[in-house]
Structure formats: structure tokens, C-alpha cells
Amino acid sequence: MTGSAPAAPFTTDDYRTRMERAANAAADAGLAGLLVAPGPDLVWLTGYAPTATTERLTLLVLAPGRDPVLVVPALEAPDAEKAVGAPALTLRDWTDGKDPYAATAALLDGSGRFGISDNAWAMHLLALQRELPGTTYASLTEALPMLRAVKDAAELELLAAAGAAADAAFEEIRTVRFGGRRESEVAADLAGLLRRSGHSQVDFTIVASGPNGANPHHEAGDRVIEDGDMIVLDFGGLKDGYGSDTSRTVQVGEPTDEERRVHDLVREAQEAGFRAVRPGVACQEVDRAARAVIAGAGYGEYFIHRTGHGIGVTTHEPPYMIEGEEQPLVPGMCFSVEPGVYLPGRFGARIEDIVTVTRDGGRRLNDTTREMVTVQ
């Protein structure tokens, strides 16, 4: 297995456009600006990922009509200056012994409401509140849940490449021996295959055999896989900064009639969810379409999670395919469609593809077979 050719890197203009878009979205949401701590939002907006997240304040300040400012510790400023997005912003460094919160407060409206990235440290937010008691804050997921949801052409290319790499890992893992081996051993094989396919980060390798398959987030353990086991495989991570996430359910030896019936039912539900994808449709309709198939066959109580989640620079992000989510689908959105059935103490089945919304429907970014696969 070989990795694909490196994707074209994002440019300073790409990051400038993202920061402008974020600042304008903040204004449209009635916010005075955005405060972005190290994490996926900062990487997406600037291309800057600190080599180590420490107690020293690093914060991107975005406000409508003002140049972006990155407050950064002086000892980390040289690395920040190397970020591709750095020419599109102003670096404001601070040295140990100085007050970074006073420096940051000078950039903010003292009575404004700000969106702040979800992973910001509480100590930093509380210090800003002490400095500016008239300010209020909302998490970015709450205030701007769709900020990163609509991908541009370059991002879609990266997500497609990540999906193809995960598919290549599945094609190889299905050829290895499962029976007589521990789940953890197969999970290690999967992780290695993802890295060989170009993934720099492996986020999860679920190998849930037999009764463990009834736990959607089972952590691969010491259980020895037996002949006759149905096995849920769910794996993914980051390749060139963008996520993969796919699930297939395989069988060691011959399945029982019920195992085959449940697998076929999940495959039918996954197809129904995919067919529901088109612009303007509410996210919840994807969930409803998949859930109706499983409920109609009498297994509704065993489909115990949402049908999907967004994916991008993280493997789980908005939008979510779940009842009550009325956000309409927009071309460029990417998310999983992953219905499942989980029978406690017996077995489970899940089939998952990443799907992107097109102008007239949806396109799968995973293309391995959804039919039942028999492994050794």
C-alpha cells in the first residue's frame, strides 16, 4: 500500500479568506468577535498548530472590520511566524512576567459578547472575564456551529483522499487472519495500515467481535475472535490534516440467518440515509430515512445512536444527522451516514460512509463493498 501524492498546500490567501469569513459570520450572529485558542479552529483559520499547548496564553482575536491579531508567547513567536496564514494577521507577542490578559483586553470591546473556541482553557477565559467584567461569551459550537461545515474544493479533495486511504486499509485488513487472534492485535494491524496509507494520526480502530459488537464504541481488548463471530470494524484518523472515518461489518465463517438479515437491514438503512442527502433537506431527514428502515423491521430500539456526524479537520464535528437538527444541507458539507443495530450480549452491525453534499444529491467518499464480507 502506498500513500497518495501530497495535496496542494493551502495559501496565505486561503487563510485570509477564512478569517474574514469567520469575522463576518460573527457579526451576522450578533457577536463582537471571536477568540480562538490552540486547536482545530486555530489550525483551520491560520495554519498554526503550536508544537505544545501550555499554560501560556495563545489566542487569535477576530473582529469585523479589524485586522486579525494573534496573541502569542514571545518564545513561541518564531514558530507562529512560520505559519502559512501568519502574513494575513498581526502577531502580538508577550514575555513571561507581563500580563497577557491586559494585552488581549485592549483588543476587545469591553461590553461585547464573543464566541470562544470550545477547547479554550477555563483559566484563560476566567482571567479575561476578570479583566473585562462587562464581556460575555458563547462557545463556537453554540454560536457558529456551521463555521467549518461547508468545505471548499481543496478541502473536499483532501477528504476524498483520506477516505480512499481508509478504503485501502480495509481492503488489506480483510485479507489478514481474524480467527484465533485478539481484537487488540487486529486493531494494531488496522492502525499500521492507516499509517501506511498516509495517515499521520490514527484516532480510533474499533474491532468489536461477537457480543462486543453490541457496544458501538467498544475499545478493542483481549477477547479472542472466534469462528462464527460478526465483527464491527470502525476506524479513521487524519491524513494531510483532514479526517477519515469508515465502518464495515465482517464475518468469520458462515453467518446465522439472523446475522445476515441484520447486516442486510443495516445496509438497506445506510442506502436510505444516503439517498436522503440533497441540498435544502434538514439534517434530521437523513436520520429519519435510515431509522425508518430499521424501525420498520422491528429493530428500532437497537439503533441507539445518531445516524451521522460532520468531519473535516477533526473526525467529529457539526453538522449532526440527528432528530431535531433542522439545519439544511448545503453543497460542500461532509458527514458520516452510519446506521447500526446492536443486540446486547449477542452481536452488532454498522456500515458507515463519509458523504458530501453535491448540487443535486450526495457523493460517497468511501467505496468499499457494503455487502457482507467473510474473513478468515
Side-chain angles (χ1 to χ4, degrees):
M1 181 192 306
T2 58
S4 60
F10 295 116
T11 67
T12 300
D13 284 342
D14 291 328
Y15 292 115
R16 179 181 289 108
T17 298
R18 290 177 185 179
M19 286 188 280
E20 289 175 353
R21 193 171 98 194
N24 291 335
D28 292 342
L31 298 172
L34 303 179
L35 307 178
V36 185
D41 291 314
L42 185 63
V43 173
W44 184 78
L45 286 163
T46 69
Y48 177 49
T51 54
T53 302
T54 72
E55 73 284 357
R56 294 183 174 92
L57 179 71
T58 296
L59 203 65
L60 175 69
V61 179
L62 298 177
R66 299 179 61 178
D67 291 338
V69 177
L70 180 63
V71 179
V72 62
L75 76 169
E76 295 174 12
D79 287 336
E81 290 172 349
K82 296 175 185 176
V84 177
L89 51 79
T90 299
L91 283 175
R92 187 75 56 84
D93 63 4
W94 60 276
T95 58
D96 286 351
K98 303 294 184 180
D99 185 352
Y101 306 108
T104 304
L107 304 171
L108 307 181
D109 175 353
S111 60
R113 181 170 178 79
F114 294 89
I116 186 164
S117 50
D118 295 23
N119 56 327
W121 287 21
M123 63 179 282
H124 297 320
L125 176 57
L126 293 171
L128 283 174
Q129 287 180 312
R130 286 194 297 270
E131 195 72 31
L132 294 173
T135 56
T136 56
Y137 302 86
S139 75
L140 282 189
T141 293
E142 172 191 344
L144 296 176
M146 296 299 116
L147 179 62
R148 305 193 319 254
V150 178
K151 275 63 179 181
D152 61 27
E155 291 180 292
L156 291 175
E157 182 180 342
L158 288 165
L159 283 162
D167 283 357
F170 175 72
E171 294 294 0
E172 288 214 27
I173 199 66
R174 61 184 285 188
T175 68
V176 310
R177 184 164 190 82
F178 281 69
R181 302 177 68 207
R182 292 183 176 87
E183 292 174 337
S184 57
E185 293 173 322
V186 178
D189 287 346
L190 258 177
L193 290 170
L194 285 170
R195 292 190 179 94
R196 282 176 56 192
S197 74
H199 282 70
S200 60
Q201 177 176 312
V202 176
D203 287 342
F204 46 88
T205 52
I206 293 173
V207 178
S209 63
N212 289 338
N215 177 359
H217 281 175
H218 171 70
E219 185 173 345
D222 290 335
R223 184 182 186 274
V224 175
I225 298 169
E226 302 175 358
D227 185 55
D229 278 349
M230 182 176 273
I231 307 167
V232 177
L233 304 176
D234 184 349
F235 50 97
L238 297 183
K239 179 182 185 295
D240 294 324
Y242 279 75
S244 69
D245 186 1
T246 188
S247 299
R248 294 292 186 263
T249 302
V250 301
Q251 182 80 25
V252 181
E254 282 299 310
T256 65
D257 289 345
E258 186 178 20
E259 286 171 335
R260 188 176 294 279
R261 182 169 64 250
V262 167
H263 187 279
D264 288 347
L265 176 65
V266 171
R267 180 167 53 83
E268 181 184 348
Q270 208 269 347
E271 179 68 18
F274 170 69
R275 294 297 175 192
V277 175
R278 60 186 182 276
V281 168
C283 291
Q284 67 182 0
E285 296 302 328
V286 178
D287 182 83
R288 288 174 175 177
R291 200 168 297 277
V293 173
I294 292 174
Y299 287 89
E301 67 182 292
Y302 303 113
F303 180 10
I304 56 176
H305 56 71
R306 64 196 175 202
T307 293
H309 57 82
I311 190 169
V313 293
T314 59
T315 48
H316 283 210
E317 61 186 44
Y320 298 103
M321 307 301 112
I322 190 171
E323 181 66 31
E325 179 51 80
E326 298 180 351
Q327 167 68 40
L329 299 180
V330 176
M333 283 183 174
C334 290
F335 47 84
S336 65
V337 178
E338 52 175 306
V341 169
Y342 309 94
L343 302 180
R346 300 179 61 202
F347 65 89
R350 179 165 66 255
I351 298 172
E352 173 186 15
D353 294 324
I354 298 303
V355 173
T356 183
V357 184
T358 65
R359 288 182 296 178
D360 56 3
R363 176 169 68 95
R364 284 184 167 104
L365 301 186
N366 296 104
D367 200 31
T368 55
T369 183
R370 295 164 200 92
E371 302 289 338
M372 178 172 283
V373 169
T374 300
V375 295
Q376 296 180 332

